[in-house]
């Protein structure tokens, strides 16, 4: 009897095992999806392996072996490498194997029952020539024979009545197939720039040694890191290999796409979350069929089915967007290193502010370290720190100090551009009643609603709840409110009053909801913008030669978060933002408004001194035994009833009393989100795999105890808030 060992579509850890079904379908292979009976349902399963047992052995089993109902796919969806990667992820991140497979595939291919299907299209194909055709019919048929095929819509539009006649005569046939992505053609390949001595040295260092290695490419902003890894990628493509460029945010994808197309000419696959399901499917198929050599994408592009990877490049590798927020909570950097080892290729971690984990490993020699300390055109811009506490005491405005406002005016007079960074969207983060002091809170989360003036609505930035701006306070019916804090909408409003003639463009998650909005706004700023203001999405990777002033509003705000990474996140944001100024031939400058002007993260960013910040922050991490000196993992206990959630957390703590693998902290109440209460238990220690195994044991005990709270797991916890 032939058996297929199958993972069922349900992603829960309690079903993380293979179930055996007999099959008769000759085409069945590992990596295919199938329909199978499971309990009283008909579910999709994912074939892991095939085996055989005798009829006698099957008869002795204590259960009846059921049969595969139907094979869904024509071939395996995941190759052997990706199936092995999925199992490794399940072990490392304490997740079900099927959920790892699901995270790898575009929605139209996920091993999950659903009604979504790939879009089909009609295609016209040349078939054969017959006698008795008119000269025009022979001419059209000759053109069809040369091109082989074309979309049927184009064929009918181009050849009109002749098209229909040739179909009726059987000379041209119409077939249906899955819609395929069209590669961009006719892109002019531009010549690469002449390398500086430092760039040439960095490229030479990258070229040394063959096989797999992890390289930290640490270069100050504007040092030409992109040109170095583009040159290295070009060499890999020339050898017939594929290259993956990863960026942390969609806002950076268009710029990287343009750079890649300018270097490699026709067509690169693009893969990110703002594509439609059909577009993702088409791009996935381009890679699976080997039709592209270069891919630009965000985090999920790391799972594309490459056959011959020559390099994986993570630009802005420090960015927290590379960590997946939902299960399986993988880090893209870990996946890149695993795949780089499998393909025997280099993994390049590029950043002006490398993560402490990556730089510490490079410092110890675990990773290769390549440093680029000089800008190509100008020195790093001088940074002037404005003490906003003193400015307010002088009666200056809380949004723009007099110094920054004067600098903006001078820059605009010279015909140069300005960037203003404020890492908070909306109009104001808190709207408080003057009479009773109550803030308007989200009814589903323990957070204040943010006021969005453009829409006259209050919004929760956690669950998405929205309501109109109230006329009176829900608590005391007062009619007057006080705005506390500032967001990008309020900053935009004030800047427009100060500079009414300037073309101001706001870029935040509210302004970039529409498909293609990122690219449209950046193109508009490049062509006609005077001031670009926005959240952290404008602080990374953007390169505009005419930007000579960067103003940073509330630059130290993230220091108040209480997270152990708050200093690192603050330094990263400030240094990246400073790097947007003076990237061309014109000198740049930065004005940084802050309240805690003496904090080492602020001071080091103003001095562009990563090494000094690294030393200071690593000293703090060592004293507190935070990563990279230890690993942090967490178990979350979630329920609509706070007592049930706490009971689950306490039960887990009791199970951890005798273990000696790590320290245990908690339970810690995290407040309500989306109508559920959350308690967290943190594991802290040096044995990462030991923590993963302990968390899996905790889950099994939690399940057997029939605790009502849902348990969620995050190995390698990145942020505590």
């Amino acid at each position: 009897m032939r058996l297929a060992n199958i993972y069922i579509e349900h992603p829960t850890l309690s079903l993380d095992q293979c179930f055996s079904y007999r099959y008769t379908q000759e085409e069945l292979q590992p990596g295919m999806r199938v329909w199978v009976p499971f309990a009283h349902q008909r579910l999709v399963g994912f074939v892991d392996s095939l085996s055989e047992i005798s009829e006698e052995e099957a008869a002795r089993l204590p259960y009846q072996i059921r049969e595969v109902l139907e094979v869904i796919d024509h071939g395996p969806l995941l190759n052997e490498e990706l199936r092995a990667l999925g199992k490794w992820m399940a072990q490392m991140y304490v997740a079900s194997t099927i959920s790892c497979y699901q995270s790898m595939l575009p929605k139209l291919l996920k091993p999950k029952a659903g009604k979504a299907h790939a879009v089909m299209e009609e295609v016209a194909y040349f078939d054969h020539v017959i006698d008795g055709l008119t000269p025009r019919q022979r001419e059209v048929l000759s053109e069809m024979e040369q091109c082989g095929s074309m979309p049927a819509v184009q064929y009918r539009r181009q050849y009109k009545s002749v098209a229909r006649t040739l179909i009726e005569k059987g000379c041209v046939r119409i077939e249906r197939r899955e819609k395929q992505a069209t590669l961009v053609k006719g892109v002019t390949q531009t010549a690469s720039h002449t390398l500086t001595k430092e760039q040439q040295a960095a490229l030479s260092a990258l070229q040394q040694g063959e096989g797999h290695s992890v390289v930290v490419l640490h270069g100050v902003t504007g040092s030409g890191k992109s040109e170095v890894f583009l040159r290295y990628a070009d060499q890999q493509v020339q050898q017939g290999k594929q290259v993956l460029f990863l960026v942390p945010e969609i806002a950076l994808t268009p710029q990287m796409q343009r750079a890649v197309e300018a270097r490699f000419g026709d067509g690169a696959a693009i893969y990110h979350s703002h594509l439609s399901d059909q577009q993702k499917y088409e791009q996935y198929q381009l890679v699976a069929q080997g039709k592209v050599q270069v891919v630009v994408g965000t985090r999920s592009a790391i799972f594309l089915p490459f056959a011959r990877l020559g390099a994986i490049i993570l630009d802005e590798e420090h960015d927290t967007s590379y960590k997946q927020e939902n299960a399986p909570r993988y880090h893209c950097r870990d996946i890149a290193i695993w795949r780089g080892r499998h393909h025997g290729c280099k993994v390049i971690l590029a950043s002006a502010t490398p993560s402490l984990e990556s730089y510490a490993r490079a410092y110890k020699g675990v990773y290769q370290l390549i440093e680029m300390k000089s800008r190509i055109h100008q020195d790093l811009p001088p940074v002037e720190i404005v003490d906003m506490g003193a400015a307010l005491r002088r009666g200056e405005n809380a949004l723009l100090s007099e110094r920054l406002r004067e600098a903006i005016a001078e820059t605009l007079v010279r015909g140069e551009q300005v960037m203003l960074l404020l890492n908070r969207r909306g109009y104001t983060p808190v709207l408080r009643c003057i009479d009773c002091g109550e803030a308007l809170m989200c009814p589903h989360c323990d957070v204040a609603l943010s006021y969005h003036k453009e829409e006259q609505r209050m919004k929760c930035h956690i669950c998405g709840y929205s309501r109109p701006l109230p006329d009176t306070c829900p608590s005391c019916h007062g009619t007057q409110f006080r705005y506390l804090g500032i967001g990008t909408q309020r900053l935009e409003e004030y800047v427009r009053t100060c500079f009414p003639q300037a073309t101001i463009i706001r870029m935040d998650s509210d302004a970039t909801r529409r498909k293609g909005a990122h690219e449209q706004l950046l193109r508009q700023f490049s062509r006609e913008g005077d001031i670009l203001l926005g959240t952290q999405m404008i602080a990374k990777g953007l390169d505009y030669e005419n930007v000579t002033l960067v103003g940073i509003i509330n630059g130290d705000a993230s220091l108040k978060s209480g997270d152990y990474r708050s200093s690192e996140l603050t330094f990263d944001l400030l240094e990246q933002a400073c790097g947007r100024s003076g990237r061309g031939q014109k000198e740049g400058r930065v004005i940084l408004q802050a309240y805690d002007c003496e904090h080492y993260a602020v001071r080091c960013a103003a001095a562009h001194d990563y090494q000094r910040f690294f030393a200071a922050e690593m000293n703090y991490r060592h004293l507190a035994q935070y990563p990279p000196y230890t690993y942090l993992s967490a178990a979350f206990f979630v329920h609509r009833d706070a007592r049930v959630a706490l009971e689950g957390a306490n039960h887990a703590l009791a199970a951890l009393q005798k273990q000696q693998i790590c320290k245990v902290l908690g339970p810690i109440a995290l407040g309500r989100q989306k109508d559920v209460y959350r308690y967290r238990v943190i594991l802290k220690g040096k044995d990462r795999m030991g923590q993963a195994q302990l968390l899996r044991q905790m889950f099994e005990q939690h399940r057997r105890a029939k605790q009502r709270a849902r348990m969620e797991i995050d190995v390698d916890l990145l942020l505590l808030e």
Side-chain angles (χ1 to χ4, degrees):
M1 179 184 295
R2 295 185 297 180
L3 295 182
N5 303 305
I6 294 172
Y7 286 106
I8 302 302
E9 68 168 353
H10 204 297
T12 180
L13 261 178
S14 59
L15 290 178
D16 189 30
Q17 66 181 75
C18 281
F19 296 86
S20 296
Y21 291 82
R22 70 176 183 269
Y23 72 95
T24 57
Q25 297 89 344
E26 295 296 332
E27 71 273 22
L28 195 62
Q29 299 177 55
M32 287 183 169
R33 293 173 301 171
V34 293
W35 284 104
V36 294
F38 188 81
H40 301 294
Q41 304 175 69
R42 184 176 185 261
L43 298 180
V44 171
F46 200 81
V47 179
D48 178 67
S49 62
L50 304 176
S51 60
E52 289 192 28
I53 62 172
S54 66
E55 295 292 342
E56 292 77 12
E57 290 173 311
R60 289 196 295 269
L61 292 174
Y63 53 85
Q64 181 183 2
I65 299 179
R66 305 172 79 178
E67 189 168 356
V68 171
L69 301 175
E70 182 184 348
V71 178
I72 297 175
D73 304 304
H74 297 297
L77 297 184
L78 296 176
N79 57 31
E80 186 176 348
E81 176 207 354
L82 293 177
R83 295 200 301 274
L85 173 60
K87 292 180 180 179
W88 177 83
M89 288 173 60
Q91 182 182 23
M92 290 295 288
Y93 299 110
V94 194
S96 68
T97 307
I98 197 68
S99 70
C100 296
Y101 289 160
Q102 288 175 335
S103 68
M104 296 178 180
L105 293 165
K107 186 174 181 179
L108 296 184
L109 290 176
K110 285 185 186 296
K112 183 176 182 181
K115 297 181 180 179
H117 297 285
V119 174
M120 304 296 288
E121 65 178 353
E122 289 188 333
V123 181
Y125 292 91
F126 168 81
D127 195 287
H128 67 285
V129 180
I130 63 174
D131 296 329
L133 297 177
T134 66
R136 175 55 179 161
Q137 290 169 351
R138 285 197 300 271
E139 180 186 348
V140 171
L141 202 55
S142 176
E143 292 177 10
M144 284 298 297
E145 185 176 12
Q146 288 179 8
C147 71
S149 67
M150 69 172 62
V153 172
Q154 178 186 343
Y155 168 71
R156 292 187 175 103
R157 186 189 307 120
Q158 187 169 331
Y159 300 121
K160 299 182 171 49
S161 61
V162 176
R164 184 175 63 254
T165 302
L166 291 175
I167 293 172
E168 292 172 352
K169 291 179 178 292
C171 299
V172 172
R173 69 182 189 278
I174 303 295
E175 294 183 3
R176 283 174 58 82
R177 70 177 185 190
E178 289 183 356
K179 190 169 185 256
Q180 299 177 355
T182 302
L183 288 172
V184 178
K185 296 296 181 183
V187 178
T188 302
Q189 189 169 355
T190 59
S192 55
H193 306 288
T194 301
L195 297 183
T196 65
K197 289 183 179 179
E198 193 172 48
Q199 284 178 309
Q200 186 58 59
L203 180 60
S204 298
L206 268 180
Q207 293 167 337
Q208 292 174 3
E210 296 183 356
H212 170 64
S213 64
V214 182
V215 181
V216 173
L217 181 58
H218 175 214
V220 299
T221 55
S223 60
K225 297 183 296 294
S226 298
E227 182 63 29
V228 171
F229 60 62
L230 281 168
R231 287 284 185 100
Y232 183 77
D234 195 13
Q235 294 171 1
Q236 299 305 308
V237 170
Q238 295 300 323
Q239 297 173 26
K241 297 180 180 178
Q242 297 167 300
V243 176
L244 172 61
F245 293 92
L246 292 168
V247 292
E249 293 188 9
I250 297 166
L252 301 179
T253 309
Q255 189 157 312
M256 180 62 76
Q257 179 184 352
R258 288 192 294 271
V260 168
E261 288 179 345
R263 181 58 47 86
F264 298 101
D266 290 344
I270 308 300
Y271 199 87
H272 55 71
S273 60
H274 275 205
L275 298 179
S276 68
D277 293 338
Q278 177 64 25
Q279 288 172 322
K280 288 181 185 176
Y281 175 75
E282 291 172 7
Q283 299 297 309
Y284 187 92
Q285 294 293 4
L286 284 178
V287 178
Q289 295 163 12
K291 292 183 178 180
V292 292
Q293 291 177 294
V294 179
V295 176
V296 177
T298 50
R299 182 179 60 229
S300 56
I302 191 61
F303 297 118
L304 290 172
F306 297 99
R308 51 188 191 284
L309 267 174
I312 304 174
I313 299 160
L314 276 77
D315 199 16
E316 311 293 355
E317 74 86 24
H318 64 278
D319 200 287
T320 55
S321 299
Y322 282 121
K323 177 72 185 284
Q324 170 71 16
E325 294 180 355
N326 304 317
R329 292 181 168 92
Y330 64 87
H331 198 295
C332 189
R333 181 176 56 225
D334 296 339
I335 308 301
I337 293 171
W338 190 98
R339 296 202 72 181
R341 187 179 299 115
H342 178 89
H343 287 270
C345 70
K346 286 191 188 320
V347 177
I348 302 172
L349 310 178
S351 177
T353 55
S355 64
L356 262 68
E357 288 84 350
S358 295
Y359 197 82
R361 289 180 173 87
Y363 189 79
K364 290 182 178 180
V366 179
Y367 298 163
Q368 180 185 357
L369 177 61
I370 300 175
E371 305 247 35
M372 300 173 65
K373 299 181 180 180
S374 303
R375 273 193 162 186
I376 294 175
H377 297 296
Q378 298 281 346
D379 292 334
L380 288 163
V383 180
E384 179 182 346
I385 300 176
V386 175
D387 184 340
M388 288 305 292
L392 291 178
R393 288 192 292 273
R394 293 193 297 267
E396 298 182 23
N397 189 278
L399 291 106
L400 296 184
S401 63
E402 288 298 321
R403 186 71 192 92
L404 179 53
R405 189 160 60 174
E406 291 170 1
I408 293 173
E410 294 167 3
T411 304
L412 296 179
V413 167
R414 293 194 302 269
E416 297 166 359
Q417 293 173 299
V418 178
M419 282 189 179
L420 297 177
L421 170 71
L422 173 60
N423 200 24
R424 183 179 288 275
R425 64 188 175 100
Y427 187 83
T428 183
V430 180
L431 200 62
R432 192 181 297 277
C433 175
I434 291 179
D435 294 337
C436 69
E438 288 290 322
L440 271 68
M441 303 293 290
C442 174
H444 309 290
C445 309
D446 290 337
V447 296
L449 293 171
S450 294
Y451 174 41
H452 289 243
K453 188 175 182 179
E454 285 182 349
E455 305 166 60
Q456 287 293 298
R457 297 190 72 83
M458 305 296 297
K459 294 184 178 182
C460 175
H461 291 173
I462 292 178
C463 71
Y465 169 81
S466 172
R467 59 158 294 173
L469 179 69
D471 296 323
T472 60
C473 171
S475 298
C476 72
H477 304 293
T479 58
Q480 292 184 304
F481 297 94
R482 178 183 293 117
Y483 301 123
L484 299 179
I486 56 174
T488 49
Q489 290 181 9
R490 190 175 180 186
L491 177 63
E492 179 187 17
E493 179 182 86
Y494 181 71
V495 173
R496 287 190 187 281
T497 63
C498 296
F499 307 99
Q501 304 304 318
T503 301
I504 300 170
I505 297 166
R506 175 168 56 85
M507 191 168 178
D508 53 27
S509 57
D510 295 316
T512 55
R513 287 177 183 165
R514 292 179 292 104
K515 182 179 177 180
H518 294 89
E519 188 171 5
Q520 180 182 346
L521 289 172
L522 292 176
R523 191 185 303 115
Q524 182 184 357
F525 176 66
S526 176
R527 292 175 178 173
E528 58 181 348
D530 295 313
I531 301 173
L532 176 66
L533 65 84
T535 54
Q536 62 178 350
M537 65 174 62
I538 72 167
K540 296 170 286 191
L542 301 183
D543 189 353
Y544 294 100
E545 292 189 359
N546 201 37
V547 172
T548 58
L549 174 65
V550 168
I552 303 174
I553 319 299
N554 285 1
D556 58 336
S558 53
L559 291 174
K560 303 180 181 69
S561 70
D563 193 280
Y564 78 95
R565 288 186 186 270
S566 61
S567 296
E568 181 182 4
L569 296 175
T570 299
F571 175 83
D572 290 349
L573 182 63
L574 296 181
E575 180 62 14
Q576 292 286 339
C578 291
R580 300 313 107 205
S581 179
R583 295 179 70 89
Q585 300 293 339
K586 301 174 183 178
E587 291 186 7
R589 57 177 170 165
V590 179
I591 295 180
L592 195 171
Q593 297 182 171
Y595 292 88
D596 189 356
C597 300
E598 297 305 317
H599 194 282
Y600 64 89
V602 175
R603 284 291 169 184
C604 291
H608 308 296
D609 194 340
Y610 178 85
Q611 274 74 21
R612 183 154 64 95
F613 171 77
F614 176 77
E617 183 67 8
M618 287 292 281
N619 183 54
Y620 157 68
R621 300 281 183 94
H622 182 261
L623 290 172
Q625 284 297 288
Y626 280 127
Y629 291 99
T630 58
Y631 294 101
L632 293 180
S633 298
F636 299 86
F637 298 87
V638 180
H639 199 273
R640 287 181 174 271
D641 187 328
R643 291 174 298 177
V644 173
L646 180 59
E647 180 185 343
N650 286 328
H651 183 269
L653 278 179
L656 293 171
Q657 292 301 320
K658 296 181 180 179
Q659 64 81 30
Q660 298 180 335
I661 295 173
C662 55
K663 292 182 179 179
V664 181
L665 307 174
I668 304 161
L670 298 181
R672 189 174 49 128
Q673 285 189 4
K674 300 179 181 179
D675 286 324
V676 298
Y677 293 87
R678 303 175 305 139
Y679 284 84
R680 181 179 63 199
V681 175
I682 292 178
L683 281 59
K684 184 178 184 182
K686 296 182 180 296
D687 185 351
R688 183 193 186 285
M689 185 53 69
Q691 288 183 20
Q693 293 171 349
L694 188 59
L695 284 166
R696 190 172 284 271
Q697 294 171 12
M698 285 173 59
F699 178 84
E700 288 300 320
Q701 293 173 353
H702 180 80
R703 183 174 65 86
R704 287 197 296 268
K706 297 183 179 179
Q707 289 286 318
R708 289 187 292 159
R710 185 174 76 252
M711 179 177 171
E712 299 175 353
I713 294 170
D714 189 351
V715 179
D716 278 351
L717 185 66
L718 196 62
L719 299 171
L720 293 180
E721 289 204 336

